């Protein structure tokens, strides 16, 4: 059964609050992170993570988490009132016998902490009743866990929550043991059940009150929390058990559970002080190397990604020799899917493949499948599946790649093997994640030059990836001083954003190179373009091209359109692209009675034909690197109006070829658009200025020339 991340058990909240109350800041960060990933209690979790990071002096984690806290100002004021030097983290903080401290500490947190009002009111009143009695005969008749697992799996597959709930009741009546109830709890959580639902709470109560000896209770609790998606809490429970258990057989069982947690979560170093090779189910070179360490390895925050790079830079690269490079260029990207960065990658690969500057140009991608979305720009790149090294996550890895978390290890190993075999003189990676993969594999293989090219503004999502991404600044701070590593940024705003994120000075190593385009496509007549889409030639058309994702704020775009239609009921709205929010946008227009005013062609290849039909282009993004679509709109003689975020202002001439408005200011967006459409002379001048700006400032020849110089620099 897959891991459940849709539930926050009271015990997980209580443990995180205990760590916060008692100054176990490192443990608090990890406990709250497990909660943050669920998307439930995320404001509370973010604030508590930020508080712990502040006490530890970890500015990277603090900056990212404080942004997700609605009580940011109050929390900042509370923290600034204390002298951080007076805060002494409990390095040996342990969960211990948390049941005796839970209610009091939770109540104090609710009453005294600046974020206490975000804590569920019932939490401090939780108390587990004494162990119920289960007779020997009842134990013998109780259903076996394996049978229960099979039945639960069937109910989950059919999504029959009611049947599963009824089955859970029968198990309680039959005195089913925790290892059987475990599967029902996970199954119900998978189907959306949670605290406050009587059947679910009855199951958890039966699980918690079943009479078990202490060791078995701790093992059962740890297993359940791990299954519910709380691996760090499970680890603390097991560590506590190891401190109190004396029987060799029980200690061995606990160590095996800790070893399994270490392997599953790629936290090889967490319990190296107590684990032996015999504790692991299978042998790996990474495990054996770490267990054989006779001296400590300083791993900073102890995150798996940071630990892997620490090992690489401190143990491998120092003693490694660079290879004699061949005349080859290796480009490493995410996909060739529909996106601005992906299109630039596709065109750059084709250009340098045809230019003759290198004997051979290779392309490695994290995802690529012919005929699928990941190959949208395969034609522009001129590639077939045989031309692409797909860095899929299946296979095995060796040291040092085996130290990387999750599928990173396999992808890095495949890339490293390719680099060793082909010996490229330059590796050009496109964006953060691929940059780290390329840097790790390239340094491990001995590549003399690795370029990381950033095309977005920095940021950390609210997801499981947040833990890895929040490790990027610490890693890039170390990488950027390596002679093999250089960086390119798509815009000045992106360079500033990354310098702030990494907390370094923006020096000469923050090279900015604007994207370039092949301006060889003639622009279509606006009237003809409108007629081709079934729009009257004199109807004002407001348009956009983007992915229908949260960062582009398509629903906000829709609200602006609905508001603008009150000023100009004759307006049409053209939204090109696709994504998860596309249907939501269509429903919003429908609810406003504007279905006929909306044209949504989906993802298209001939974007220029749709741009040509627009009178004004809107971009309402939450953040941007260098939005290519604003440049392409200008080339097509379309004035642009965009939120002033990221590098948007660097793509056009504010006031001359477009207009900047304050982010999320829908009234300003509508007013500026109405004024522009009312002045035909001004809109014509803006259209011409935009076209000239695109041609002169964002040519492909200048872009490729700057890349070529970057490749050839020693």
């Amino acid at each position: 059964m897959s891991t459940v991340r849709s539930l926050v058990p009271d015990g997980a909240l209580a443990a995180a609050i205990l760590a916060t109350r008692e100054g176990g800041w490192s443990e608090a960060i990890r406990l709250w992170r497990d909660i943050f990933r669920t998307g439930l209690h995320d404001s509370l979790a973010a604030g508590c993570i930020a508080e712990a990071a502040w006490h530890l002096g970890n500015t990277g984690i603090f900056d990212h988490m404080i942004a997700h806290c609605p009580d940011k100002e109050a929390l900042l004021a509370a923290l600034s009132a204390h002298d951080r030097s007076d805060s002494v983290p409990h390095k040996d903080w342990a969960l211990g016998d948390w049941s005796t401290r839970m209610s009091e500490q939770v109540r104090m947190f609710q009453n005294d902490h600046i974020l206490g009002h975000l804590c569920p009111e019932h939490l401090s009143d939780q108390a587990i009743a004494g162990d119920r009695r289960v007779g020997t005969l009842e134990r013998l008749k109780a259903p076996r866990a394996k049978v229960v697992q099979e039945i639960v799996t069937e109910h989950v597959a059919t999504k029959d929550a009611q049947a599963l709930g009824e089955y859970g009741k029968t198990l309680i009546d039959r005195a089913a043991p925790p290892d059987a109830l475990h599967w029902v709890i996970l199954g119900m959580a998978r189907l959306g059940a949670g605290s406050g639902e009587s059947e679910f709470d009855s199951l958890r109560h039966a699980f918690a009150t079943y009479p078990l000896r202490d060791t078995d209770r701790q093992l059962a609790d740890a297993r359940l929390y791990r299954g519910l998606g709380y691996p760090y809490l499970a680890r603390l429970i097991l560590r506590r058990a190891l401190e109190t258990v004396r029987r060799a057989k029980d200690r061995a069982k606990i160590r095996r559970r800790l070893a399994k947690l270490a392997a599953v979560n790629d936290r090889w170093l967490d319990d190296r002080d107590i684990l032996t090779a015999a504790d692991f189910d299978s042998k790996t070179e990474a495990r054996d190397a770490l267990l054989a360490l006779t001296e400590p390895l300083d791993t900073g925050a102890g995150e798996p990604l940071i630990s892997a790079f620490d090992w690489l830079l401190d143990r491998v690269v120092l003693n490694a020799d660079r290879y004699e490079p061949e005349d080859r260029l290796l480009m490493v990207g995410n996909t060739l899917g529909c996106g601005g960065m992906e299109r630039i990658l596709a065109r750059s690969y084709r250009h340098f493949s045809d230019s003759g500057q290198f004997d051979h140009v290779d392309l490695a991608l994290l995802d690529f499948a012919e005929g699928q979305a990941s190959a949208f720009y395969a034609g522009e790149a001129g590639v077939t599946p045989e031309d692409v090294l797909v860095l899929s996550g299946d296979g095995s890895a060796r040291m040092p790649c085996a130290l990387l978390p999750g599928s990173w290890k396999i992808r890095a190993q495949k890339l490293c093997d390719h680099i060793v075999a082909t010996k490229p003189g330059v590796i050009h990676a496109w964006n953060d994640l691929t940059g780290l993969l390329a840097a790790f594999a390239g340094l491990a293989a001995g590549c003399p030059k690795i370029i990381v090219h950033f095309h977005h503004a920095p940021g950390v999502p609210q997801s499981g990836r947040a833990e890895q991404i929040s490790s990027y600044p610490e890693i890039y701070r170390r990488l950027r001083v390596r002679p093999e590593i250089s960086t390119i940024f798509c815009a000045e705003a992106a360079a500033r954003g990354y310098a702030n994120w990494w907390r370094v000075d923006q020096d000469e190593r923050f090279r900015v190179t604007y994207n370039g385009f092949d301006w060889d496509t003639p622009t279509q007549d606006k009237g003809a373009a409108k007629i081709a889409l079934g729009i009257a030639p004199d109807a004002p058309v407001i348009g956009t091209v983007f992915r229908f994702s949260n960062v582009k704020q398509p629903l906000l775009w829709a609200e602006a359109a609905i508001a603008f239609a009150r000023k100009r009921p004759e307006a049409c709205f053209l939204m090109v692209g696709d994504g998860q929010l596309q249907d939501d946008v269509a429903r919003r227009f429908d609810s406003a009675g504007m279905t006929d005013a909306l044209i949504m062609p989906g993802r298209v290849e001939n974007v220029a034909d749709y741009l040509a039909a627009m009178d004004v282009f809107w971009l309402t993004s939450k953040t941007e690197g260098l939005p290519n679509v604003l440049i392409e709109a200008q080339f097509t003689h379309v004035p642009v109006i965009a939120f002033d975020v990221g590098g948007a202002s660097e793509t056009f001439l504010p006031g001359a070829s477009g207009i900047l408005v304050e982010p999320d200011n829908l009234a300003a967006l509508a007013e500026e658009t109405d004024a522009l459409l009312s002045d035909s002379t001004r809109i014509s001048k803006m259209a011409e200025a935009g076209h000239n700006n695109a041609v002169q400032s964002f040519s492909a020849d200048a872009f490729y020339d700057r890349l070529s110089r970057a490749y050839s620099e020693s």
Side-chain angles (χ1 to χ4, degrees):
M1 186 176 294
S2 55
T3 299
V4 177
R5 293 195 182 278
S6 59
L7 170 73
V8 181
D10 293 342
L13 274 171
I17 288 171
L18 282 178
T20 299
R21 284 283 308 165
E22 298 175 355
W25 302 120
S26 295
E27 289 77 7
I29 288 177
R30 293 178 173 92
L31 290 167
W32 282 115
R33 271 180 171 169
D34 283 343
I35 295 170
F36 184 74
R37 290 192 193 100
T38 67
L40 305 172
H41 305 293
D42 51 341
S43 297
L44 173 61
C48 290
I49 292 172
E51 178 185 8
W54 182 85
H55 284 288
L56 292 174
N58 191 322
T59 54
I61 294 177
F62 175 82
D63 287 345
H64 289 300
M65 291 297 106
I66 196 70
H68 296 296
C69 181
D71 298 299
K72 176 170 64 176
E73 299 302 328
L75 181 59
L76 286 171
L79 292 176
S80 62
H82 297 280
D83 185 352
R84 186 186 284 118
S85 62
D86 293 336
S87 174
V88 181
H90 289 279
K91 295 183 179 180
D92 56 351
W93 182 89
L95 190 63
D97 184 10
W98 62 333
S99 61
T100 62
R101 293 147 40 219
M102 182 185 77
S103 293
E104 179 183 0
Q105 291 287 34
V106 168
R107 189 176 295 108
M108 292 177 68
F109 180 89
Q110 291 170 328
N111 294 335
D112 303 338
H113 198 278
I114 196 68
L115 303 176
H117 65 285
L118 297 175
C119 180
E121 293 183 7
H122 74 273
L123 194 59
S124 60
D125 299 325
Q126 290 295 307
I128 300 299
D131 289 348
R132 57 195 174 98
R133 296 182 179 276
V134 178
T136 303
L137 186 59
E138 288 180 295
R139 291 178 186 272
L140 292 174
K141 290 182 177 181
R144 302 298 93 182
K146 185 176 181 180
V147 175
V148 173
Q149 181 185 3
E150 293 172 353
I151 295 173
V152 170
T153 301
E154 292 176 4
H155 287 314
V156 171
T158 59
K159 298 183 179 180
D160 195 340
Q162 182 176 354
L164 184 55
E166 292 297 327
Y167 180 60
K169 289 180 182 178
T170 67
L171 292 183
I172 295 173
D173 294 338
R174 297 171 61 190
D179 61 347
L181 295 174
H182 167 96
W183 294 110
V184 189
I185 293 171
L186 292 187
M188 292 190 70
R190 170 59 62 191
L191 295 179
S195 299
E197 299 181 25
S198 59
E199 293 176 356
F200 188 77
D201 287 342
S202 295
L203 277 167
R204 289 201 303 159
H205 183 78
F207 179 94
T209 58
Y210 193 93
L212 294 174
R213 64 191 185 99
D214 289 345
T215 302
D216 290 337
R217 166 54 58 195
Q218 291 165 320
L219 288 171
D221 288 347
R223 185 180 180 222
L224 180 62
Y225 280 117
R226 176 191 164 194
L228 289 172
Y230 298 88
Y232 200 73
L233 177 53
R235 174 182 174 267
L236 290 182
I237 292 172
L238 292 172
R239 289 283 303 213
R240 171 60 178 166
L242 202 61
E243 293 173 3
T244 58
V245 170
R246 294 292 175 262
R247 289 177 57 191
K249 184 177 180 180
D250 289 338
R251 293 179 63 82
K253 184 186 293 186
I254 294 168
R255 285 200 305 271
R256 286 196 298 272
R257 295 283 181 89
L258 285 169
K260 185 172 291 186
L261 272 175
V264 169
N265 295 288
D266 298 298
R267 303 200 65 94
W268 299 94
L269 297 174
D270 282 349
D271 298 301
R272 185 173 53 83
D273 58 327
I274 60 172
L275 297 178
T276 67
D279 297 323
F280 290 83
D281 293 335
S282 60
K283 292 183 178 181
T284 68
E285 188 175 345
R287 178 214 68 182
D288 292 342
L290 288 171
L291 292 174
L293 276 176
T294 56
E295 57 186 81
L297 177 63
D298 183 8
T299 58
E303 301 295 356
L305 197 58
I306 296 174
S307 300
F309 272 91
D310 282 343
W311 179 285
L312 174 76
L313 297 174
D314 296 340
R315 302 295 180 90
V316 178
V317 176
L318 283 179
N319 303 314
D321 295 324
R322 293 181 182 175
Y323 54 67
E324 187 64 33
E326 302 288 340
D327 189 22
R328 300 177 75 110
L329 167 65
L330 169 61
M331 291 189 175
V332 185
N334 295 312
T335 73
L336 290 181
C338 186
M341 177 185 70
E342 290 78 7
R343 192 177 189 189
I344 296 294
L345 166 59
R347 291 179 171 183
S348 298
Y349 171 79
R350 185 158 201 161
H351 170 82
F352 285 102
S353 295
D354 297 340
S355 69
Q357 180 174 342
F358 296 92
D359 289 344
H360 199 279
V361 180
D362 296 317
L363 179 63
L365 300 172
L366 300 184
D367 185 21
F368 181 86
E370 190 174 26
Q372 301 298 313
S374 58
F376 184 78
Y377 286 125
E380 291 209 35
V383 298
T384 64
E386 291 72 27
D387 300 318
V388 179
L389 169 64
V390 180
L391 303 175
S392 58
D394 58 303
S396 59
R398 305 180 302 277
M399 282 287 282
C401 295
L403 290 175
L404 289 165
S407 65
W408 284 60
K409 57 171 67 67
I410 313 299
R411 299 178 192 273
Q413 188 64 64
K414 291 178 178 178
L415 188 58
C416 186
D417 291 344
H418 177 80
I419 295 168
V420 169
T422 59
K423 298 180 174 60
V426 182
I427 299 174
H428 183 177
W430 298 67
N431 244 22
D432 307 57
L433 188 155
T434 50
L436 289 183
L437 278 174
F440 196 97
L443 290 172
C447 181
K449 188 172 187 63
I450 303 163
I451 299 172
V452 184
H453 196 159
F454 299 88
H455 284 264
H456 298 294
V460 174
Q462 293 190 54
S463 70
R465 292 184 62 219
E467 181 173 340
Q468 291 177 0
I469 295 177
S470 63
S471 300
Y472 288 8
E474 184 167 340
I475 298 169
Y476 272 112
R477 279 195 294 270
R478 295 195 63 184
L479 288 177
R480 66 188 296 273
V481 300
R482 297 284 317 177
E484 304 93 337
I485 307 292
S486 59
T487 54
I488 298 175
F489 298 85
C490 66
E492 289 287 351
R496 287 194 302 272
Y498 276 96
N500 291 334
W501 190 31
W502 297 347
R503 292 197 172 268
V504 297
D505 293 331
Q506 187 180 342
D507 54 23
E508 68 280 356
R509 284 171 288 189
F510 281 78
R511 176 184 297 178
V512 174
T513 297
Y514 289 135
N515 296 336
F517 301 82
D518 297 306
W519 301 124
D520 54 3
T521 305
T523 57
Q524 188 179 358
D525 174 75
K526 192 172 295 296
K530 289 183 180 181
I531 291 172
L533 296 176
I535 303 172
D538 59 346
V541 177
I542 313 301
T544 195
V545 181
F546 55 28
R547 296 187 317 277
F548 283 75
S549 61
N550 284 322
V551 71
K552 302 297 182 180
Q553 303 193 120
L555 288 169
L556 194 67
W557 200 101
E559 293 301 331
I562 293 167
F564 182 74
R566 299 190 189 105
K567 293 177 177 288
R568 291 182 177 260
E570 74 278 13
C572 291
F573 301 94
L574 176 56
M575 303 181 75
V576 180
D578 62 3
Q580 61 184 5
L581 296 178
Q582 187 175 2
D583 291 341
D584 293 336
V585 170
R587 283 192 290 269
R588 181 66 188 98
F589 271 88
D590 182 60
S591 68
M594 291 176 53
T595 299
D596 293 340
L598 174 66
I599 298 176
M600 298 177 72
R603 185 176 58 193
V604 302
E605 294 188 12
N606 55 328
V607 173
D609 293 341
Y610 291 85
L611 288 170
M614 300 176 190
D615 293 293
V616 177
F617 187 99
W618 282 355
L619 192 66
T620 56
S621 300
K622 187 181 302 182
T623 182
E624 285 286 355
L626 189 83
N628 294 333
V629 70
L630 291 183
I631 302 168
E632 295 178 278
Q634 290 175 87
F635 176 76
T636 321
H637 294 87
V638 182
V640 298
I641 303 182
F643 287 166
D644 189 5
V645 296
S649 63
E650 298 175 54
T651 62
F652 62 92
L653 306 172
S657 66
I659 300 169
L660 284 173
V661 299
E662 182 183 12
D664 300 343
N665 191 334
L666 303 189
L669 192 63
E671 290 169 7
E672 293 286 0
T673 305
D674 187 50
L676 185 59
L677 290 173
S678 300
D679 190 338
S680 58
T681 301
R682 184 185 176 207
I683 201 170
S684 296
K685 288 183 177 179
M686 273 197 170
E688 189 62 28
H691 178 79
N692 294 335
N693 177 55
V695 171
Q696 295 168 10
S697 303
F698 300 96
S699 72
D701 289 342
F703 176 67
Y704 297 140
D705 181 62
R706 289 190 288 267
L707 285 187
S708 182
R709 290 200 301 270
Y711 294 157
S712 60
E713 290 175 353
S714 57

